[in-house]
Structures are given as C-alpha cells and as structure tokens.
Amino acid sequence: MFNYKRWLKISGGLSAGVVMLFAATLFASSEDVIHIDQFISPDTCSGCHSEIFEQWENSMHSLAHKDPVYSRVSQFLRKGLINEGEIKEAESCVKCHTPVGYLTGFPQKLSDDLSKTPEIATQGIQCDYCHSAETVKQMYNNGLVLKPGQGEDEPGIKYGPFDDAEPDFHEAEYSKLHTESEICGTCHDVKHVAFGTDLETTYTEWKNSPYNSKDPQQKITCQGCHMYQRPGIPATGSTPRPENPGAATDYSDERPHIFTHYFVGGNASVPGQFDGEAKGQMAIERLKNAATLSVDTSLIQQKKLNITVSNTGAGHSIPTGVGDLRQVWLEITIQDKANKINFQTGVLNHRHELSKDAVIFRTIFGDGKGNEVINIAKARQVLKDNRIKAKQSVTETIDLSVVPEKDAMIIVRLLYRGMPQKILNLIPGKPFEPLPIVEMAKVQKRI
Ligand code: HEC
Ligand code: HEC
Ligand code: HEC
Ligand code: HEC
Ligand code: HEC
C-alpha cells in the first residue's frame, strides 16, 4: 500500500505545499520561463519507482553530464577556435548533455563555469526531464517542449505510456510521444548549429530503415529494443524481445510490460567507472548481437578475400551516434598450418592505434574543401560514410599480399571501441586508459 508518511517526508510537509501553490500562480503568469526548482530529483522518484531508478542510475543518460570522456573531449574541442560558427557549435553541447540546466538558465554554454551547475542538473537526462515532455518542436538538437510541475509539493503531470494510471503523488497522463521513436530521436539527431552538417543521425537512420514499418506488427521503435533489454536479454533485431511483466512502483498492480530504463548502447566502459559494471556487461551483450560476418574465398587465387558484414540486430547504422568517433573494424588474420601468421590487418600497435590500412566503418567529416577534420565544430561536410545500415550488408574486398598456402586458416573478427586512441592521446591531462575492445562477431575458415 501507499505509504502516506513517506510521501510527507518526501514532500517536506504541507505548509511548504501552500507556499509552492502560491509560487505556482506566480510562475504561471511568467510563461515559458522554467525554474530549476520546478524539477524533482530522481531520488524522490526512486521512493516509489525504485526498480526503474536502479536501472537508470549510472546509465549513460544519468551520466550525460558527468561522463569524463564527454567532458574532456568537449573541453578539448572548444580550445583554440576563432571562427564564430565553430565556437557556436563547440559551446552547444550542454543542450543535450546537461538539459535541465540548459532549460532553466545555467549552464547556457560549455565555457560557463560548470562547477556551478546546480546539483539536480548534474544528473543528466533524468526522470522528470523526459516525463515532463509534452511535445517536440523540431526533430534534431533536442526540440523537446516541457511542462514540468512546481517541484515536489505540486509535481504536476508525468506523461507516460499508461492511460489508466492513478498515482497518489503526481498526476499522470497518457502520452503518444512517449511510445514513439520521436521522443528519443530529437536528441539522437544532431546537426551543426551554424553549418547544418549532420553530425549524428541515429533517428534518421532508423526512420529510413525497415524497422520503421507502416505495419504496426512489424514496426520496432527505439523503445522496442532499448527499453526491453535487461541482463541476459539483449533485445536486439536478431534476438527475442520478450515482455517484462512487473509493476511500475513497489506497490502497484502488475502489468504485462514495464519498459526498462537501462538505456544501454555500445558504451562498455563509462558506466563501470560509476558502479555500473552490470551495464558495461549489457553493452557487450548488445554489441555481440548486432552483426554477423561471412568470408568468401572464391577469389583467393587472385589474392582477394571478400568479407561481408551484415547488420542483423541494430535499428540504425553500425556504428551509430557519434559515428566519427566510434570505431567498428575488421581484424583479419591468416595463419599457416603451424599457426604462423602470414597476413594480418586491423591490429593495434603498441600505442593502441589502428594502422591506416584497416577497414573501419565510420563517418569522416570535412572542412568544406575536402580535407578531413576531427573536430566536429569544424565539420562543414560529410566526406565519407561507409557504416552498415539497418538490415543491410556491406562486402569488403581485401587485397592479400600473397596467396595463402593450402590448409591455411582465415580468422576474421568485427571489433568495436568507443573512440580512436589517437584522439584520446591528444587530450591534455591524465592519460586515458585504453577503451575496452569488444568482439562483435568472429568467423574462421580453412582454405
Ligand atoms: C530518456 C527519457 C527517459 C528517462 C530519462 C526516464 N524515462 Fe521513464 N519512460 C520513458 C519512456 C519513453 C517510457 C515509455 C516507453 C514506451 O511506452 O514505449 C517510460 C516509461 C516509464 C514509466 C511507466 C512504466 C514503465 O516503465 O513502462 C515510469 C513509471 C517511468 N518511466 C518512470 C521513470 C523514472 C522514475 C525515471 C528516472 C529514474 C525515468 N522514468 C527516466 C522515458 C524516460
Ligand atoms: C509516492 C509514490 C510516487 C512517486 C514519489 C512518484 N511516482 Fe510516478 N507513479 C506512481 C504510481 C502509483 C504510478 C502508477 C503506476 C501504475 O498505474 O502502474 C505512477 C506512474 C508514473 C508514470 C506513468 C504515467 C502514465 O500515465 O503512463 C510516470 C511516467 C511516472 N510515474 C513518473 C514519475 C516521476 C518522473 C517521478 C519523480 C519526479 C515519480 N513518478 C514519482 C507513484 C509515484
Ligand atoms: C535530452 C536528450 C535525449 C533524449 C530525449 C534521449 N537521449 Fe539517449 N542519450 C542522450 C545523450 C546526450 C547520450 C550520451 C551520453 C554520453 O555518452 O555522455 C545518450 C545516450 C544514449 C544511449 C547510450 C549510448 C551508448 O553509447 O552506450 C542509448 C542506448 C540511448 N541514449 C537511447 C535513447 C532512447 C531509447 C531514448 C528514448 C526513449 C533516448 N535515448 C532519449 C540524449 C538523449
Ligand atoms: C532493432 C533493435 C534496435 C532499434 C529499433 C534501435 N536500436 Fe539502438 N542499438 C541496437 C543495437 C543492437 C546496438 C548496438 C550496436 C551499435 O552500436 O550500433 C544499438 C546501439 C545504439 C546506440 C549506441 C551507438 C554506438 O555505437 O555508440 C545508441 C545511441 C542507440 N542505439 C540509440 C537508438 C535510438 C535513438 C533508436 C531509435 C531511433 C534506436 N537505437 C533503435 C538495437 C536497436
Ligand atoms: C542534440 C543533442 C546533442 C548535442 C547538442 C551534443 N551531443 Fe554529444 N551525444 C549526444 C548523443 C545522443 C550521444 C550518444 C551517441 C552515441 O552513443 O554514439 C552523444 C555522445 C557523445 C560523446 C560520446 C561519449 C562517450 O562516453 O563515448 C561525446 C564525446 C560527445 N557526445 C561530445 C559532444 C560534444 C563535444 C558536443 C558539443 C560540441 C555534443 N556532444 C553535443 C547528443 C548530443
């Protein structure tokens, strides 16, 4: 049953409630301005939604502001820029990575003193942010329009998937938006704020994929994979996505499916730095069920090897998101009968860097004149995009230096890591540990 005493403790008592009601009338007259005190901490939501809270805690959403890879990379990219458009882009990160702060006035830009970020805004993409979203005004660069309540004493409406919820603490309303990819897509499509270059296109990739089917039975939204995952159940396009029966709070009635809130992608290292090792493991499970490999040796006498990578599990390209940073590549090894290596490509050197000849699936940005840039702030064009689209395959022809001898073994692995070591090595300060390398798929064949 609902524990009224606990609720009183949460809300801080009725007298404060009266003050807040008064404040609410004041706020209502100054429309559009949303104040930081209107947001309720995830800790309060955890009082009743404890399981959902534990899933979200140390997820990449909860860490969007604190993530050391993001923080250090973004500060590094901001340095030394003089072009106005480039500066504008480099300052814009907080809009998605610190959304509660950005919406309520601080920080407004990356070069603000981020140590002054209000505590609640350091908690990244949080419960009350997503569940106060009413509509979307544009489908990129975070176009969510919010209608939060007035803090804990007047929590207002929390929008969600149920049309019959009657919570005691807050009001509840069914929201179609929350059941659709668009609530995710408005942040998961990123455009350069000055040059319009498509920097991240996860939503567009999904929208143009077979997963965005007109047939409701065939359609799989972002939530349909990512909010069905739980430990041991990766819930990808190539694995079952069973429902997760349970209750939304510690005392509510059971429902056929409770959407999980782990929000796991490919990041197997950052959650572990915040006690989220289990999420690192879930990222590995997701990556291992995303793609398959096959080898065609019919042209081996011509010193050629055809390798096909198929995207069987992701609802978007592999890799997606920051496709200029993520590295998905082929490691190819040919061994003779005595296990001596005759040919190898896609191997890291002693500095954990990949050789130039490696086949890497990624996007490359250009400066507008055809030269590669690694700073997204300078991205005026997409020079190259050879990522593997949803439910599609890519065949790469590898030129071998020699014809492998009879009975040689060909071993091909598809590997993933979050970022090139070359970029991490550029960042001043304490050196980054090499990021984990996850084997997404492996195939071997004897000639
Ligand atoms: C990135 C946005 C986002 C964040 C952050 C988020 N949620 Fe959700 N939540 C959703 C969406 C979307 C759904 C519904 C999915 C659907 O219907 O397809 C949902 C569903 C729910 C539900 C309905 C029960 C269920 O899980 O199916 C509850 C309750 C809920 N969320 C509470 C929370 C709490 C508490 C937190 C913080 C600990 C939180 N949410 C964080 C987006 C979010
Ligand atoms: C005092 C307990 C309590 C607290 C605290 C609480 N909730 Fe709830 N919430 C509930 C109950 C009960 C339900 C209804 C569950 C059901 O019907 O299965 C619910 C339902 C929801 C839903 C689903 C609404 C719908 O119509 O789909 C969302 C979203 C939600 N809560 C978000 C939040 C967020 C965000 C917070 C923190 C700001 C929060 N809740 C704090 C008790 C609480
Ligand atoms: C307010 C903007 C915003 C919304 C809304 C949002 N996301 Fe995210 N999401 C982010 C940001 C920013 C990150 C990256 C944080 C980081 O890596 O530092 C992220 C990370 C993720 C990751 C982890 C990626 C990885 O590399 O492991 C997944 C998965 C994800 N989001 C899925 C979703 C889904 C599904 C939804 C909709 C239910 C959604 N997101 C809604 C901004 C958002
Ligand atoms: C059919 C299942 C499926 C659907 C639908 C799906 N994803 Fe994914 N997602 C995956 C798999 C599998 C991975 C791991 C492979 C990868 O990184 O591409 C993944 C990875 C991710 C990542 C991490 C990317 C990286 O490489 O760092 C993000 C972010 C993400 N998804 C967001 C989304 C969003 C947003 C949507 C909806 C627009 C969505 N996903 C729809 C299966 C799905
Ligand atoms: C419109 C929303 C949005 C904006 C603005 C944005 N990001 Fe992100 N960022 C995301 C999403 C979504 C992800 C997750 C994608 C993925 O996992 O590949 C992400 C992930 C990242 C990551 C990967 C973190 C990791 O741990 O691997 C870095 C680095 C990053 N962003 C840097 C930046 C920088 C620098 C800026 C500003 C110049 C910026 N972002 C602006 C949405 C945004």
Side-chain angles (χ1 to χ4, degrees):
M1 259 316 288
F2 173 58
N3 182 339
Y4 190 68
K5 279 216 184 92
R6 182 161 69 180
W7 181 75
L8 270 187
K9 215 173 85 202
I10 291 168
S11 74
L14 276 174
S15 55
V18 174
V19 174
M20 279 309 290
L21 271 179
F22 176 66
T25 350
L26 281 182
F27 281 126
S29 57
S30 55
E31 249 188 302
D32 290 334
V33 184
I34 297 179
H35 194 262
I36 188 88
D37 296 339
Q38 287 178 253
F39 282 93
I40 301 171
S41 163
D43 299 329
T44 303
C45 313
S46 83
C48 300
H49 301 289
S50 60
E51 244 184 275
I52 294 176
F53 174 83
E54 280 162 26
Q55 296 168 353
W56 166 86
E57 201 187 16
N58 56 44
S59 69
M60 287 318 296
H61 279 163
S62 81
L63 297 171
H65 170 84
K66 294 177 186 160
D67 172 2
V69 176
Y70 154 71
S71 320
R72 291 181 62 187
V73 168
S74 57
Q75 295 298 341
F76 170 68
L77 297 180
R78 171 66 188 85
K79 289 218 165 68
L81 298 176
I82 41 171
N83 175 285
E84 204 184 317
E86 294 174 5
I87 291 174
K88 236 177 132 188
E89 170 59 29
E91 292 281 17
S92 74
C93 324
V94 292
K95 192 168 187 178
C96 294
H97 286 266
T98 319
V100 169
Y102 181 80
L103 180 72
T104 57
F106 188 90
Q108 286 301 290
K109 48 188 202 316
L110 192 78
S111 60
D112 284 342
D113 180 357
L114 296 183
S115 69
K116 297 206 167 73
T117 306
E119 159 64 21
I120 192 168
T122 65
Q123 304 210 46
I125 301 152
Q126 52 192 272
C127 321
D128 211 9
Y129 187 80
C130 281
H131 288 293
S132 297
E134 213 186 5
T135 50
V136 180
K137 66 166 189 269
Q138 83 199 10
M139 272 316 297
Y140 58 92
N141 292 358
N142 189 358
L144 290 176
V145 179
L146 266 63
K147 197 178 131 192
Q150 302 297 334
E152 297 199 350
D153 300 292
E154 185 63 29
I157 304 166
K158 303 304 159 219
Y159 300 92
F162 305 146
D163 58 6
D164 59 351
E166 290 180 343
D168 12 49
F169 173 58
H170 54 78
E171 291 167 62
E173 207 170 278
Y174 170 76
S175 157
K176 193 161 176 286
L177 173 66
H178 284 72
T179 68
E180 292 176 333
S181 289
E182 281 65 28
I183 192 167
C184 318
T186 185
C187 289
H188 283 265
D189 258 15
V190 188
K191 270 187 200 299
H192 194 293
V193 291
F195 312 145
T197 321
D198 288 317
L199 301 175
E200 287 183 41
T201 51
T202 305
Y203 169 71
T204 305
E205 294 156 21
W206 171 85
K207 199 173 155 212
N208 296 332
S209 82
Y211 292 103
N212 181 24
S213 169
K214 285 197 179 70
D215 174 2
Q217 294 300 314
Q218 298 294 318
K219 183 169 177 166
I220 308 179
T221 58
C222 315
Q223 294 91 322
C225 286
H226 288 278
M227 296 183 82
Y228 277 68
Q229 183 171 13
R230 47 217 195 257
I233 303 177
T236 69
S238 61
T239 55
R241 284 168 276 101
E243 289 191 321
N244 175 44
T249 71
D250 306 339
Y251 57 89
S252 302
D253 292 340
E254 180 141 327
R255 291 182 183 267
H257 177 66
I258 297 297
F259 289 89
T260 62
H261 283 68
Y262 297 98
F263 301 113
V264 166
N267 204 317
S269 67
V270 173
Q273 298 168 33
F274 297 83
D275 297 327
E277 285 82 4
K279 282 182 193 85
Q281 189 52 43
M282 288 171 72
I284 295 171
E285 288 173 17
R286 181 155 281 279
L287 288 169
K288 282 192 177 299
N289 290 287
T292 57
L293 275 176
S294 68
V295 182
D296 166 12
T297 51
S298 58
L299 294 176
I300 202 89
Q301 293 309 322
Q302 281 113 297
K303 293 193 239 170
K304 285 189 195 315
L305 200 57
N306 280 332
I307 296 170
T308 301
V309 187
S310 304
N311 178 345
T312 52
H316 36 67
S317 297
I318 294 178
T320 189
V322 285
D324 58 318
L325 296 177
R326 303 297 185 224
Q327 285 191 310
V328 172
W329 78 95
L330 292 174
E331 182 204 77
I332 303 160
T333 308
I334 303 182
Q335 287 174 351
D336 66 16
K337 259 194 292 192
N339 286 344
K340 201 178 126 250
I341 293 174
N342 288 337
F343 173 89
Q344 205 167 28
T345 173
V347 209
L348 304 177
N349 67 15
H350 65 286
R351 303 186 48 174
H352 303 276
E353 289 168 358
L354 258 176
S355 58
K356 275 218 157 68
D357 62 352
V359 177
I360 309 177
F361 302 100
R362 61 176 191 132
T363 35
I364 297 178
F365 296 123
D367 61 359
K369 297 177 200 127
N371 308 305
E372 177 175 351
V373 292
I374 59 159
N375 189 345
I376 48 168
K378 298 185 177 186
R380 287 169 173 81
Q381 63 185 146
V382 179
L383 277 183
K384 179 179 163 184
D385 180 359
N386 67 339
R387 296 172 304 148
I388 309 132
K389 294 193 173 82
K391 287 202 173 165
Q392 291 193 19
S393 298
V394 168
T395 300
E396 292 286 336
T397 302
I398 312 297
D399 287 312
L400 307 175
S401 37
V402 286
V403 178
E405 54 187 77
K406 199 176 166 302
D407 286 336
M409 179 72 98
I410 301 171
I411 306 160
V412 183
R413 300 200 299 157
L414 185 71
L415 301 174
Y416 175 102
R417 69 174 172 185
M419 209 172 283
Q421 189 67 30
K422 253 191 188 131
I423 295 186
L424 294 176
N425 288 345
L426 289 172
I427 295 168
K430 191 171 161 266
F432 271 99
E433 289 281 314
L435 295 174
I437 294 167
V438 180
E439 182 187 282
M440 297 178 71
K442 179 180 176 178
V443 63
Q444 47 188 43
K445 195 169 180 177
R446 202 171 283 283
I447 304 171

